[in-house]
Each structure stands twice: as C-alpha cells, then as structure tokens.
Amino acid sequence: MKEYDSVRKQLFEMLEELDERLGKITADVQHIDEPLAQDFEEQATQTENDEVLDFLGNSARIERKMITQALARIDKGEYGICELCGETISHERLKAIPHASMCIKCASQPGC
C-alpha cells in the first residue's frame, strides 16, 4: 500500500536497530568479548548484569515480533485497524507507536 510506504520504511529501520541491539546483547550475555571473571563476587555481578540483558533482549524480541506483525498488516491492507474492535487506530497513536495493533480504547482496557 503506497500510503504506508513511509511507515514501512520506519518499521524496517526499527527492525534493523533492534537486530543490532539484539546482536550486542547476545554477544554480551555469551561473554564473547570478555569471559567470566575468576573472582566469585565479580561473577555474581556479571550474572546479575546478564539477567538484565536477558530481560532487555526478551523485550526487544517482543517488539521485533510486533513490528513484523505490523508489516504483515500493511501487506494485507489491515494496518491501522484495531485487531479487537475493528475501529480505526488514530493517526496520532500510529505516529507514536507505528506497530500498534489496537486502538487506545482497547489497549487501555484491563486484561489486554
């Protein structure tokens, strides 16, 4: 859909950024550049850092999935339509969160 070419480009740029971030996180967690320290206390600190990095990596993977789903919605002609109520997602919401799949009303409801 021609009307969403700029959104598609933005989503692909977001994917590239996430892929780069995930690559760095993976390298850090696997200690590719810096092996685990010999000192037990330092290892404990590194393990805590790995847990934070793991959380950030999981968040990035979730966001990546949401972006690929948004690209699929563009291809199907369903972009900008709330997946719950079928109403149009506001332009302002899509501008702020281009991979949004729900309108603000549905996204704000408890349990969603």
Side-chain angles (χ1 to χ4, degrees), residues 20-30 53-54 56-57 60:
E20 184 178 320
R21 191 179 329 153
L22 280 168
K24 290 177 182 178
I25 288 171
T26 300
D28 285 347
V29 169
Q30 293 176 348
L53 288 172
D54 191 44
L56 292 173

Side-chain angles (χ1 to χ4, degrees), residues 12-45:
F12 275 115
E13 288 171 357
M14 291 170 73
L15 279 178
E16 287 177 10
E17 182 183 318
L18 283 170
D19 286 343
E20 184 178 320
R21 191 179 329 153
L22 280 168
K24 290 177 182 178
I25 288 171
T26 300
D28 285 347
V29 169
Q30 293 176 348
H31 300 279
I32 292 172
D33 295 330
E34 183 180 319
L36 279 173
Q38 297 296 321
D39 180 59
F40 179 74
E41 289 178 13
E42 184 63 28
Q43 282 183 3
T45 300

Side-chain angles (χ1 to χ4, degrees), residues 69-88:
Q69 290 171 344
L71 289 166
R73 286 193 302 276
I74 290 173
D75 293 341
K76 292 183 206 173
E78 299 172 357
Y79 183 77
I81 300 169
C82 178
E83 64 182 18
L84 293 181
C85 71
E87 295 294 320
T88 301

Side-chain angles (χ1 to χ4, degrees), residues 44-105:
T45 300
Q46 287 175 320
T47 300
E48 287 178 12
N49 291 342
D50 290 348
E51 290 173 2
V52 171
L53 288 172
D54 191 44
F55 174 79
L56 292 173
N58 287 336
S59 296
R61 283 185 276 285
I62 291 168
E63 185 175 0
R64 190 180 195 298
K65 183 177 179 181
M66 293 169 70
I67 292 169
T68 57
Q69 290 171 344
L71 289 166
R73 286 193 302 276
I74 290 173
D75 293 341
K76 292 183 206 173
E78 299 172 357
Y79 183 77
I81 300 169
C82 178
E83 64 182 18
L84 293 181
C85 71
E87 295 294 320
T88 301
I89 300 172
S90 73
H91 176 72
E92 294 80 17
R93 178 162 172 76
L94 290 173
K95 188 174 181 181
I97 308 170
H99 55 276
S101 63
M102 291 184 280
C103 67
I104 192 71
K105 181 180 173 187

